[in-house]
Amino acid sequence: MKAFINKCLAEVKNVGEKGFFHLFTAKGLIYIVGFGSQLFVAGILEPEDIGRIKIMQVYIGLSALIGGFGFNVSLVKMASDKRSMEEISDMLHLSMLVASLSFILLYLLLYVLANTGLVSNDPVITSLFPYYALFLLPTNIQSMQVAYYQAMKDLKKMAKIQLVVKLVSVGLIIGATYLYQLEGYVAIISITGFLSVFSLKRGLLGFVKKLLKMKFNFTFLADMWRFARFALLANLAYMLLNTMDIYFINYLVEDRGDVGYYMFAITLLSGYGIFQASIQQVAFPYFSSKSESYISWWKTYKKYNQMNHLVWIVICILGIVLVPPFIRFAFSGKYDLSIGYFIYLSVGGTLMYLNMMKGIALMGYGKFNLNFYSSMAGLLISLPIVYFLIKLYGLDGAVIGKIISGALFYLAHLSIFRIFLRRRTV
């Protein structure tokens, strides 16, 4: 028993030295500040507007993923190898160029879709979305900056910067929302995005200089795309799997009040993202550095996968127990209808996260294509199930579909991962 305890303590220390606890603490503070702002915003706005914000966020999240072309992932992978600082800077600037050019094309597309009513049949979303979509540019750029910090394993510095910026941004968001309601929120969100980009600083000056002279090192483009293409497809499939209920609800459920309660529950569930982002930002470069030795990679995966399962089960239980009474107390009944949705969504979300260490380990090993196959398999099987459940049973069908899709994704990911291990050890 003593040996087991000492081993666990040593492992905790090892994880801490990689920056996890510092990053998690900083991200925890960032989340508390950000979550607090969302609660203030939810208290100021009506549930209908909370639903509208979440729907617009999902569209921008999807667009940002497409706009990055997976170059943020390939930047982490390639920069984690033994590279000179000049080469890493060239890759960062090239990634920023891709993100900037894609913004122009995607924004024009989103503008047309919004004005033709294809983004939503809600007239309020249609009128505000072109302004909200400007948030896409800083989001694209920031994803490359964060990837750089990940690759350099400079997570502590990044977390400190993000915390300060978040505090300032929250004050601006709450103030603008209080004064101008939903319109104020939409107007200020892009400004806070640019604050984050300028505060992280990494790559901006060099990028501007190269942009003016058009002197980018395109020799890295083919190699970066080789990693990025499957990372893009895998993340795209995973995001659609995780958010398809929101798209279907946007078009199939007419009661915007009920939609608002459901979207508020999803907002509450976003708190789990602290753990997801912290684990991924620390683990991905670490697994990448272990990829030269299969035995070392496998031992690392086996150890952290067990920890990952335990952590997510505990998080789910604590969330179901603690969040509902908090919501009842904080909002005096205003969002009580969100509690039932939150409980079911917690179960579905946890099923999605249980296998995340498999995905991180495969990315570190360079097997981005396998993550794409498992995400796509889960998406193709779940898509018709979730659609018909929502069409037939509305929001009740959505939460059931979320649990089913989480279970299907878990099984698909597990199956493909085991096939990889069998072929690797033959």
Side-chain angles (χ1 to χ4, degrees):
M1 177 61 73
K2 185 177 179 180
F4 176 76
I5 293 174
N6 289 335
K7 183 179 179 181
C8 290
L9 291 175
E11 199 54 53
V12 169
K13 182 180 179 181
N14 184 35
V15 173
E17 288 173 351
K18 294 176 178 59
F20 175 78
F21 292 117
H22 191 285
L23 180 65
F24 175 73
T25 300
K27 280 192 170 293
L29 291 173
I30 291 170
Y31 169 70
I32 291 172
V33 174
F35 184 69
S37 72
Q38 292 181 63
L39 293 183
F40 276 110
V41 168
I44 295 169
L45 301 177
E46 294 301 315
E48 293 90 336
D49 288 336
I50 297 300
R52 290 173 178 129
I53 289 173
K54 192 62 185 179
I55 289 169
M56 290 190 289
Q57 285 175 344
V58 168
Y59 275 102
I60 295 305
L62 179 64
S63 300
L65 181 60
I66 296 172
F69 282 96
F71 271 54
N72 56 326
V73 179
S74 61
L75 177 60
V76 176
K77 172 62 181 173
M78 294 179 65
S80 296
D81 300 332
K82 294 180 180 180
R83 301 270 183 176
S84 68
M85 289 305 300
E86 182 180 357
E87 289 178 319
I88 295 173
S89 294
D90 286 341
M91 288 188 286
L92 173 61
H93 297 147
L94 187 60
S95 300
M96 287 182 165
L97 177 65
V98 171
S100 301
L101 294 176
S102 67
F103 162 75
I104 298 173
L105 298 175
L106 285 169
Y107 183 81
L108 292 174
L109 175 62
L110 291 172
Y111 184 86
V112 171
L113 292 176
N115 280 277
T116 54
L118 294 177
V119 169
S120 177
N121 51 20
D122 185 331
V124 177
I125 293 178
T126 299
S127 63
L128 292 177
F129 187 72
Y131 303 100
Y132 190 90
L134 293 171
F135 185 53
L136 180 59
L137 178 57
T139 301
N140 279 357
I141 298 296
Q142 188 179 358
S143 69
M144 304 306 171
Q145 292 175 308
V146 169
Y148 175 87
Y149 279 99
Q150 280 184 260
M152 295 294 97
K153 298 182 176 64
D154 200 1
L155 301 174
K156 295 180 180 180
K157 183 177 181 180
M158 181 187 72
K160 288 179 181 178
I161 295 171
Q162 287 184 319
L163 177 58
V164 173
V165 175
K166 192 66 175 181
L167 287 168
V168 175
S169 300
V170 163
L172 293 173
I173 290 171
I174 293 174
T177 306
Y178 179 78
L179 293 173
Y180 303 106
Q181 298 294 300
L182 180 59
E183 290 80 2
Y185 179 91
V186 171
I188 201 67
I189 196 68
S190 294
I191 295 175
T192 62
F194 283 110
L195 282 176
S196 296
V197 169
F198 292 132
S199 65
L200 288 173
K201 295 180 182 179
R202 290 297 184 187
L204 284 180
L205 183 59
F207 172 68
V208 172
K209 289 181 179 179
K210 289 183 179 179
L211 185 62
L212 293 175
K213 298 178 180 180
M214 283 306 295
K215 289 188 176 181
F216 291 92
N217 189 349
F218 291 99
T219 58
F220 292 107
L221 189 62
D223 285 338
M224 293 190 76
W225 176 241
R226 180 167 56 89
F227 287 111
R229 54 182 179 174
F230 279 112
L232 170 63
L233 292 173
N235 288 333
L236 184 61
Y238 179 81
M239 176 173 281
L240 290 173
L241 178 64
N242 211 25
T243 59
M244 59 183 169
D245 56 323
I246 297 177
Y247 293 107
F248 291 145
I249 288 169
N250 181 32
Y251 290 102
L252 298 176
V253 180
E254 296 182 1
D255 191 324
R256 288 291 144 174
D258 287 344
V259 171
Y261 293 127
Y262 185 91
M263 299 304 172
F264 183 71
I266 291 180
T267 300
L268 295 174
L269 197 67
S270 65
Y272 293 0
I274 315 169
F275 300 92
Q276 180 194 22
S278 298
I279 292 170
Q280 185 167 0
Q281 287 181 0
V282 172
F284 180 28
Y286 184 59
F287 273 108
S288 183
S289 66
K290 296 284 185 180
S291 61
E292 293 182 1
S293 169
Y294 172 76
I295 296 176
S296 178
W297 173 87
W298 165 248
K299 289 181 178 178
T300 302
Y301 159 74
K302 190 173 181 180
K303 179 170 51 182
Y304 288 115
N305 185 55
Q306 293 174 346
M307 293 173 60
N308 183 69
H309 275 70
L310 178 61
V311 165
W312 282 112
I313 291 171
V314 172
I315 290 171
C316 180
I317 293 172
L318 289 177
I320 291 173
V321 172
L322 298 178
V323 171
F326 171 75
I327 297 305
R328 293 189 186 97
F329 172 78
F331 291 97
S332 302
K334 183 178 180 181
Y335 286 100
D336 281 4
L337 294 178
S338 298
I339 293 174
Y341 297 137
F342 171 78
I343 292 173
Y344 287 103
L345 290 173
S346 293
V347 176
T350 300
L351 289 171
M352 297 284 290
Y353 292 139
L354 284 178
N355 264 342
M356 68 175 292
M357 198 58 67
K358 291 180 175 61
I360 296 171
L362 287 172
M363 285 195 300
Y365 205 74
K367 297 295 182 178
F368 297 93
N369 58 322
L370 298 184
N371 280 338
F372 165 64
Y373 297 149
S374 49
S375 295
M376 181 57 70
L379 176 63
L380 293 176
I381 298 171
S382 301
L383 192 68
I385 296 173
V386 174
Y387 172 80
F388 284 110
L389 283 172
I390 294 175
K391 187 173 180 61
L392 294 174
Y393 304 107
L395 297 176
D396 291 335
V399 293
I400 296 172
K402 198 75 171 178
I403 294 174
I404 293 174
S405 63
L408 291 172
F409 174 71
Y410 183 91
L411 293 174
H413 214 353
L414 179 62
S415 300
I416 290 176
F417 189 79
R418 286 182 172 177
I419 292 172
F420 163 73
L421 292 180
R422 284 199 297 270
R423 291 180 176 176
R424 182 61 185 78
T425 53
V426 171

